[in-house]
Amino acid sequence: MGYSGEGGLYILGIESSCDDTSAAVVCDRTVLSNVTANQKVHEAYGGVVPELASRAHQQNIIPVVEMALRQAGVAREALSAVAFTRGPGLLGSLLVGTSFAKGFAWALGIPLIGVNHLQAHVLALFLREPDRESRTPSFPFLCLLVSGGNSQIIRVHDYLHMEVIGQTIDDAAGEAFDKCAKVMGLPYPGGPSIDKLAQEGDPGRFPFTKPAIPGLDYSFSGLKTNFLYFLRDRLRENPGFIEENNADLAASLQKTIIDILMHKLVKAARQTRIREIAIAGGVSANSGLRNALQAEAAQRKWNVYIPRIEYTMDNAAMIAITGSFKYLQGDFASQGVVPFARTQL
Ligand code: KG4
């Protein structure tokens, strides 16, 4: 065995909620391996095709698990439990991970643990790596969870006690990045391409719509429509408008999304008087959002926590660490467990 942690709890995590097949071994909070197979097949369609995603998971799951065990140097007999993403996500994709986890746990005679994918994104903040310093938030903290399917502000009371205090009433921030990027002709997923292009653009060039939603909730559908109609009108006057202005368009769009996200996060911090602030989820990889958070932190004396890039995206290490917290509470699933496509925290 390659690593021996404090409690010696070895959890195999399985993630298959969307288009990444991932397996990881985590010992207590330390990541021993985290292997992900991305699915290139969706690029041609400009978005995830659920049926193709399930088929690719079927092909990927066994080699990915074998590689995760090999890289961790952990024999399957040494595993304490198998944790898998139960939802939310694409049902066909979830079924692959769920069925695999059930069979694997049954064969080894070890517990099975169903994990909420959203909770796991937050708990990714507690992952450690061997020989690397890590800072973790103290409770209670606020977490802005921003991904392709979610935009939420969560008050985290404890590892497994989380309260959503604000959320999108329509689209997620990641969807706004992806759909607007698609309109610009950029490859899927659009978030990283917008992020890259934005670094050379003028964020103040094009002012896009910001929603007026009460409380701590978000809305991104108006911005998506505004961006689409703006480009449609400009393209009528000048068919080369997107190519000539792509960096400024990306920078202005990114700034608008970040302003919307940060405005409610600041409001939430003020209302709750919490200054431990974290971000999580795929969109938290965005360099502009990371910079905006750091700038706000310096001004407002917040302590901020940002996961390493590989733990912001969908990954199995976050599923495994959530599994280890649930293991300690004795929160196990039966062989009759079924995945769920939609759920709250
Ligand atoms: O958390 P995630 O991997 O999957 C979901 O559970 O949704 O998030 C994927 C989302 C996509 O919308 C992708 O465009 C976005 O995260 N994303 C980014 C960046 N990297 C990934 N958005 C903006 N800037 C980035 N650098």
Side-chain angles (χ1 to χ4, degrees):
M1 202 162 305
Y3 173 90
S4 178
E6 312 130 40
L9 204 57
Y10 288 86
I11 309 282
L12 173 69
I14 307 285
E15 155 64 25
S16 71
S17 64
C18 190
D19 60 339
D20 293 315
T21 319
S22 185
V25 180
V26 166
C27 180
D28 303 317
R29 296 176 189 188
T30 302
V31 182
L32 305 188
S33 64
N34 185 39
V35 177
T36 302
N38 308 112
Q39 302 180 359
K40 294 264 170 273
V41 64
H42 308 288
E43 279 170 14
Y45 300 90
V48 177
V49 184
E51 181 63 25
L52 296 180
S54 328
R55 290 186 207 183
H57 284 305
Q58 286 280 18
Q59 287 167 348
N60 294 341
I61 189 109
I62 290 181
V64 163
V65 169
E66 279 179 349
M67 197 179 292
L69 289 169
R70 204 175 324 120
Q71 283 186 9
V74 171
R76 62 189 69 172
E77 295 73 24
L79 291 170
S80 315
V82 182
F84 67 98
T85 305
R86 190 173 171 201
L90 301 171
L91 200 64
S93 291
L94 290 165
L95 277 166
V96 178
T98 306
S99 309
F100 176 88
K102 282 187 193 184
F104 206 68
W106 174 267
L108 291 169
I110 55 177
L112 182 65
I113 303 169
V115 168
N116 182 315
H117 181 86
L118 304 177
Q119 199 168 45
H121 267 303
V122 177
L123 295 176
L125 287 154
F126 294 93
L127 287 167
R128 293 189 197 129
E129 286 182 345
D131 312 320
R132 192 189 276 259
E133 283 285 309
S134 64
R135 283 170 64 247
T136 52
S138 34
F139 300 111
F141 67 91
L142 294 182
C143 184
L144 174 67
L145 172 56
V146 269
S147 68
N150 292 278
S151 297
Q152 301 183 325
I153 301 176
I154 302 164
R155 191 203 304 240
V156 185
H157 297 277
D158 204 344
Y159 297 115
L160 298 173
H161 180 195
M162 302 183 190
E163 178 194 358
V164 177
I165 58 172
Q167 61 189 320
T168 181
I169 58 165
D170 42 52
D171 299 331
E175 199 176 336
F177 270 110
D178 295 343
K179 292 279 163 59
C180 292
K182 189 172 178 181
V183 178
M184 286 176 67
L186 297 171
Y188 179 85
S193 317
I194 296 277
D195 192 353
K196 202 161 158 216
L197 266 178
Q199 295 180 18
E200 284 140 39
D202 173 3
R205 172 96 185 277
F206 304 114
F208 294 117
T209 302
K210 288 183 194 156
I213 305 287
L216 298 175
D217 286 340
Y218 288 118
S219 167
F220 289 98
S221 67
L223 169 62
K224 235 171 55 179
T225 313
N226 176 229
F227 191 79
L228 179 70
Y229 288 169
F230 174 81
L231 285 186
R232 186 196 59 186
D233 295 346
R234 292 297 173 284
L235 286 169
R236 271 198 202 124
E237 297 157 9
N238 171 14
F241 183 80
I242 295 180
E243 292 89 90
E244 289 163 24
N245 298 286
N246 61 2
D248 289 349
L249 281 167
S252 302
L253 173 70
Q254 178 167 297
K255 178 174 185 321
T256 309
I257 296 174
I258 294 170
D259 285 352
I260 296 171
L261 290 172
M262 290 304 298
H263 173 65
K264 293 294 172 84
L265 186 60
V266 168
K267 193 170 172 183
R270 210 181 307 125
Q271 279 182 11
T272 58
R273 297 170 193 265
I274 292 175
R275 290 189 312 172
E276 292 279 297
I277 312 286
I279 53 174
V283 178
S284 69
N286 184 268
S287 58
L289 180 59
R290 288 173 173 237
N291 293 340
L293 189 71
Q294 297 289 7
E296 212 64 63
Q299 199 192 325
R300 298 178 189 276
K301 305 212 173 359
W302 288 351
N303 297 320
V304 295
Y305 304 88
I306 306 176
R308 297 194 53 202
I309 296 273
E310 58 264 49
Y311 306 129
T312 61
M313 311 293 177
D314 287 350
N315 68 87
M318 68 182 194
I319 304 302
I321 191 172
T322 308
S324 53
F325 291 125
K326 294 188 86 170
Y327 186 105
L328 293 173
Q329 292 207 342
D331 185 356
F332 302 121
S334 74
Q335 279 287 328
V337 66
V338 290
F340 40 67
R342 289 177 183 277
T343 186
Q344 288 287 347
L345 265 174

